[in-house]
Amino acid sequence: MTTSARFVSSLASHFEAYLALMRVVGRRYNRIETILRQLDHFVAKEPPGDVLLSRDLLERWLASTPHLAPSTRRCHASAARQFCRYMARTEPRTWIPDRSLYPARVPQFRPYVFSAKEVHDLLAAAQRLPSKHWALGPQTFFALFLVLYATGLRISEALRLAIRDVDLDGRTLFIGETKFFKSRWVPFSATLAEQLRIYRAARTNAVRVASPDDPFFISLYGERCDYSRVARVFQVLVREAGVNTSAARRGRVRLHDFRHTFAAHCLLRWYQDGANLQAKLPVLATYLGHGNILATHVYLNATTELLREASQRFERAYGSLVVGPLEELHRVLP
């Protein structure tokens, strides 16, 4: 029974309703929709009659894609589990896969947090890029990477910036609908404003005619910068700047690490200033465009500097509570 242009099985209306519900609460669910469409087509091949999402059916569906990577199969299983939980509200016989059957992979990747010197060396390397075939190239990459470091934007957000989104007088960036359909204004410093003003002037000289909707960061051909091209140049600069050669050689230094670095350096400054971190973290979450504060914790990696500051703060606050009992213990020990 076909009830939708995308879903074709007898459960089509349920798939549609589930996706509509998830999107109402602010989730894009595009990848999940693709997975559910695959499940839908599998269900459509079942014999006519009432179709039940039974254990047998779901296990056959999961087993039908042995060629997929383990992480992809876990994603399929997770999507099916969430949909089954939804279906079980109206069809109690629905089997809900146990989470332990498809355990999440323990992430082995550790984000790289640049030191201030490494950021300086990266930006300096960007300014030394060859400009014979693309005169604006060094300035484009310098300004783009500076924005990533100074604001913590996602690379996709930075590349999507249009001329109208960059308010140099008000020192704000307008980030249109990104994750969870959220838009936000991102304020930035006077120092960054001056550098972006220099880049905009160079951009104007390179492309005399521009509309407010044109991309702020442009490629050789005056179009929006391509992510893959930016990523390749970044890896070249990482090696040239001598950023942790061991991590760079294994591909463990990524553009997204600018975002991790921004968050970690914010936390470090707050430690050094004696700020109330519990009050500051929601501000950081909002600035980064996160849906909740838990998403921000992923970016707060324990660097040597952070651990040192945390240790010193603990000692200042509770040192007497620890040292006093220890001294008393030493006095009574033989």
Side-chain angles (χ1 to χ4, degrees):
M1 178 176 63
T2 302
T3 61
S4 164
R6 288 178 296 189
F7 295 97
V8 297
S9 75
S10 59
L11 299 179
S13 61
H14 297 287
F15 285 118
E16 290 283 10
Y18 172 70
L19 288 172
L21 176 63
M22 292 299 101
R23 284 165 175 158
V24 163
V25 299
R27 298 175 183 268
R28 291 189 185 276
Y29 261 55
N30 293 337
R31 185 182 182 188
I32 301 301
E33 179 180 342
T34 300
I35 294 172
L36 293 181
R37 220 180 302 142
Q38 295 172 12
L39 174 57
D40 173 70
H41 282 75
F42 188 88
V43 169
K45 297 176 183 177
E46 292 293 292
D50 291 338
V51 176
L52 176 68
L53 291 178
S54 64
R55 178 169 189 159
D56 173 69
L57 185 150
L58 289 166
E59 287 185 341
R60 282 190 287 112
W61 173 64
L62 292 170
S64 68
T65 53
H67 59 285
L68 297 179
S71 59
T72 305
R73 299 187 72 187
R74 274 190 292 271
C75 187
H76 279 58
S78 176
R81 171 183 163 78
Q82 295 304 319
F83 177 70
C84 287
R85 290 179 61 189
Y86 166 81
M87 277 293 297
R89 298 173 183 176
T90 54
E91 176 46 78
R93 294 177 299 164
T94 300
W95 180 64
I96 301 177
D98 191 274
R99 193 188 302 274
S100 63
L101 295 176
Y102 311 98
R105 178 176 62 89
V106 177
Q108 298 182 4
F109 186 88
R110 182 177 177 81
Y112 189 83
V113 176
F114 299 106
S115 67
K117 181 181 182 306
E118 287 173 332
V119 173
H120 176 273
D121 292 345
L122 268 170
L123 294 174
Q127 291 178 309
R128 294 193 301 269
L129 283 168
S131 58
K132 180 179 179 180
H133 300 294
W134 182 16
L136 196 60
Q139 292 166 290
T140 297
F141 288 110
F142 172 80
L144 174 60
F145 295 154
L146 187 60
V147 164
L148 295 180
Y149 170 64
T151 65
L153 291 188
R154 302 174 179 94
I155 179 61
S156 59
E157 294 172 340
L159 294 181
R160 280 201 302 268
L161 285 172
I163 293 176
R164 57 178 162 73
D165 297 329
V166 183
D167 182 355
L168 296 179
D169 295 325
R171 302 212 309 263
T172 56
L173 302 174
F174 177 70
I175 310 302
E177 291 187 355
T178 56
K179 275 193 173 181
F180 310 115
F181 306 104
K182 289 181 177 292
S183 297
R184 68 189 191 280
W185 290 96
V186 175
F188 55 87
S189 69
T191 302
L192 178 58
E194 182 58 30
Q195 292 300 324
L196 291 182
R197 204 178 300 276
I198 293 172
Y199 173 71
R200 189 174 67 177
R203 184 198 184 290
T204 301
N205 289 333
V207 184
R208 295 290 180 179
V209 180
S211 78
D213 292 328
D214 287 345
F216 187 77
F217 296 110
I218 56 173
S219 68
L220 170 63
Y221 303 104
E223 301 171 344
R224 191 181 309 280
C225 287
D226 175 67
Y227 169 81
S228 59
R229 165 70 172 162
V230 173
R232 286 196 299 272
V233 172
F234 171 73
Q235 291 301 329
V236 170
L237 297 180
V238 163
R239 292 191 293 272
E240 184 178 331
V243 174
N244 195 322
T245 53
S246 175
R249 188 164 50 248
R250 295 194 296 270
R252 294 186 177 178
V253 182
R254 314 158 305 158
L255 277 166
H256 201 65
D257 290 325
F258 275 122
R259 189 165 162 87
H260 286 272
T261 299
F262 171 83
H265 286 192
C266 273
L267 192 62
L268 178 59
R269 286 195 298 272
W270 290 338
Y271 264 122
Q272 293 170 338
D273 294 342
N276 181 344
L277 297 184
Q278 294 303 315
K280 288 283 191 179
L281 285 179
V283 176
L284 180 59
T286 301
Y287 190 90
L288 290 172
H290 287 153
N292 58 68
I293 194 172
L294 295 178
T296 306
H297 280 278
V298 176
Y299 291 84
L300 304 181
N301 302 286
T303 63
T304 302
E305 293 84 358
L306 283 177
L307 291 174
R308 183 188 304 117
E309 290 294 331
S311 176
Q312 291 174 354
R313 174 177 286 199
F314 180 85
E315 184 175 352
R316 289 193 297 269
Y318 304 108
S320 61
L321 300 179
V322 176
V323 174
L326 283 178
E327 290 177 343
E328 182 65 27
L329 183 62
H330 283 304
R331 281 197 291 270
V332 299
L333 285 175

